[in-house]
């Protein structure tokens, strides 16, 4: 079983705060996708490849994934990818997956907090000409030909079955992301990350970046931005203390 997980680096995540003090990390929905892939690997003989399209510092989330048990990681990075909308992002991921050319299951997060469209997974499935199921809470069972999933609905959930290969977009289920082991950390530090650029992907420059994007932001309204926002930095326990102090100060607790 070959599994590909598409993951995205986002701003304001706490995952890598302790390591280099930057406020970047993994999209939480991709963390759920990662956990689902690892659960499949616990059940079956499976190889997991993670891919991200991003700037070179997105390498961190790839190493983080390896520390959790992922086998291989690919960073798609090129100045030409800048300005990609969801279509151009999906196309770039599609070119990489075509190059890998060996997959049974592709997992994406349900959405990513930056763009919040939830488009990339379904667009990618259409390009690959494979079925997709969105909002999957959990993979109930899987073998080399069929997967059965629990899909979240507005009220309750439904059970769906699909033949493989299929693309699933994963939402928060009831699973808890596994902890990173010391062995995992060592493996992640030593792992070599594949770096693929536009040339390697044999891409046309008018299919990625701003040139390959059909959507353009014509206006941005930031009036609804919270003006009194306060950002707490530090490790998890010091942030927790600061939050409690703030809540006490404002007589909320
Ligand atoms: C005109 C325009 C220009 C833009 N320019 C930039 C830019 O320069 N830099 C930038 O970072 N963003 C840019 N964006 C935002 C970018 O298009 C989206 O963040 C990106 O396409 C993903 O869309 P989304 O956040 O809605 O993802 P969703 O569709 O909500 O994400 C769902 C899932 O798709 C997968 N996925 C999404 N993005 C990636 C990725 N990059 N790598 C691997 N998997 C992924 C993940 O599994 C994720 O959970 C731009 C958007 C527009 C409209």
């Amino acid at each position: 079983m070959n599994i590909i997980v598409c993951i995205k680096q986002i701003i304001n995540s706490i995952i890598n705060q302790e390591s280099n003090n930057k406020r970047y990390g993994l999209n939480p929905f991709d963390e759920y996708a990662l956990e689902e892939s690892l659960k499949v690997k616990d059940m079956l003989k499976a190889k997991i490849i993670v891919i991200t399209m991003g700037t070179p510092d997105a390498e961190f989330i790839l190493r983080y994934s390896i520390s959790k048990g992922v086998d291989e990681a690919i960073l798609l990075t090129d100045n030409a990818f800048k300005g990609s909308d969801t279509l151009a992002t999906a196309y770039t991921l599609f070119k990489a997956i075509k190059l890998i050319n060996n997959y049974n299951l592709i997992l994406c997060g349900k959405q990513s907090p930056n763009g919040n469209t939830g488009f990339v997974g379904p667009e990618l499935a259409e390009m690959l000409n494979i079925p997709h199921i969105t909002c999957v809470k959990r993979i109930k069972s899987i073998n080399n030909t069929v997967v059965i999933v629990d899909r979240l609905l507005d009220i309750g959930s439904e059970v769906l079955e699909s033949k493989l290969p299929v693309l699933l977009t994963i939402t928060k289920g009831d699973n808890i992301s596994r902890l990173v082991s010391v062995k995992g950390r060592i493996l992640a530090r030593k792992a070599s990350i594949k770096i693929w650029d536009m040339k390697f992907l044999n891409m046309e420059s008018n299919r990625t970046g701003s040139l390959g994007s059909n959507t353009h932001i014509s206006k941005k309204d930031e009036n609804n931005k919270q003006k009194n926002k306060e950002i707490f930095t530090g490790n998890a326990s010091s942030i927790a203390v600061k939050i409690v102090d703030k809540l006490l100060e404002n007589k909320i607790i």
Side-chain angles (χ1 to χ4, degrees), residues 6-8 27 30 51-53 82-86 89 93 108-112 114-121 215-217:
C6 298
I7 61 173
K8 185 180 168 191
N27 171 17
D30 299 346
I51 312 183
T52 191
M53 180 186 102
K82 273 188 194 156
S84 290
D85 68 358
T86 61
T89 303
L93 293 170
C108 287
K110 186 194 85 165
Q111 65 194 76
S112 87
N114 298 151
N116 257 328
T117 65
F119 287 172
V120 172
T215 43
H216 298 279
I217 298 164

Side-chain angles (χ1 to χ4, degrees), residues 8 17 28 30 32 42 61 64 67 85 93 113 115 120 126 133 158 168 181 187 207 211 223-224:
K8 185 180 168 191
Q17 266 204 341
D30 299 346
Y32 309 140
D42 291 343
I61 56 168
Y64 170 77
S67 73
D85 68 358
L93 293 170
V120 172
E126 284 302 307
I133 304 175
E158 62 185 353
L168 309 176
S181 65
L187 273 175
R207 297 293 306 271
L211 283 178
N223 282 342
N224 58 357

Side-chain angles (χ1 to χ4, degrees), residues 65 87 122 124 131 155 190 209:
S65 308
L87 188 70
L124 179 57
I155 300 169
K190 288 185 180 163

Side-chain angles (χ1 to χ4, degrees), residues 201-237:
L201 293 176
N202 193 19
M203 285 184 76
E204 314 83 344
S205 59
N206 63 351
R207 297 293 306 271
T208 189
S210 41
L211 283 178
S213 297
N214 283 354
T215 43
H216 298 279
I217 298 164
S218 53
K219 193 180 163 203
K220 238 183 182 173
D221 181 2
E222 298 198 324
N223 282 342
N224 58 357
K225 236 183 182 177
Q226 289 169 356
K227 293 204 172 70
N228 297 327
K229 188 158 73 175
E230 196 173 334
I231 295 173
F232 298 122
T233 54
N235 60 29
S237 50

Side-chain angles (χ1 to χ4, degrees), residues 15-232:
I15 289 171
N16 63 350
Q17 266 204 341
E18 287 177 12
S19 69
N20 62 7
N21 239 356
K22 273 192 186 168
R23 296 187 62 81
Y24 288 95
L26 181 63
N27 171 17
F29 289 103
D30 299 346
E31 179 89 54
Y32 309 140
L34 200 59
E35 183 57 31
E36 281 307 304
S37 73
L38 293 165
K39 274 166 55 187
V40 174
K41 191 176 166 180
D42 291 343
M43 290 186 283
L44 301 172
K45 199 169 160 342
K47 176 184 175 187
I48 308 173
I49 301 177
V50 279
I51 312 183
T52 191
M53 180 186 102
T55 48
D57 59 7
E59 192 180 308
F60 173 84
I61 56 168
L62 297 174
R63 290 198 187 277
Y64 170 77
S65 308
I66 290 172
S67 73
K68 292 234 166 178
V70 159
D71 302 283
E72 210 176 298
I74 304 170
L75 172 65
L76 311 177
T77 190
D78 197 304
N79 276 338
F81 299 160
K82 273 188 194 156
S84 290
D85 68 358
T86 61
L87 188 70
T89 303
Y91 186 71
T92 310
L93 293 170
F94 160 74
K95 289 294 275 185
I97 291 170
K98 284 303 267 183
L99 215 57
I100 297 169
N101 196 29
N102 188 10
Y103 54 86
N104 309 93
L105 185 65
I106 300 180
L107 301 182
C108 287
K110 186 194 85 165
Q111 65 194 76
S112 87
N114 298 151
N116 257 328
T117 65
F119 287 172
V120 172
E123 283 172 340
L124 179 57
E126 284 302 307
M127 289 173 188
L128 291 164
N129 200 20
I130 60 171
H132 71 268
I133 304 175
T134 56
C135 289
V136 170
K137 280 202 309 181
R138 93 176 58 79
I139 294 173
K140 283 171 73 80
S141 72
I142 186 163
N143 59 35
N144 283 319
T145 50
V146 173
V147 64
I148 298 175
V149 302
D150 245 344
R151 178 173 186 269
L152 185 69
L153 297 173
D154 278 350
I155 300 169
S157 63
E158 62 185 353
V159 176
L160 295 178
E161 179 177 322
S162 171
K163 283 185 184 154
L164 302 183
V166 65
L167 183 146
L168 309 176
T169 78
I170 308 292
T171 190
K172 186 173 173 9
D174 47 15
N175 55 31
I176 297 168
S177 180
R178 66 196 60 197
L179 296 172
V180 173
S181 65
V182 175
K183 190 178 159 210
R185 274 182 204 274
I186 295 168
L187 273 175
R189 210 176 306 136
K190 288 185 180 163
S192 75
I193 307 287
K194 290 184 176 160
I195 298 180
W196 293 357
D197 61 8
M198 190 173 74
K199 197 170 163 211
F200 188 85
L201 293 176
N202 193 19
M203 285 184 76
E204 314 83 344
S205 59
N206 63 351
R207 297 293 306 271
T208 189
S210 41
L211 283 178
S213 297
N214 283 354
T215 43
H216 298 279
I217 298 164
S218 53
K219 193 180 163 203
K220 238 183 182 173
D221 181 2
E222 298 198 324
N223 282 342
N224 58 357
K225 236 183 182 177
Q226 289 169 356
K227 293 204 172 70
N228 297 327
K229 188 158 73 175
E230 196 173 334
I231 295 173
F232 298 122

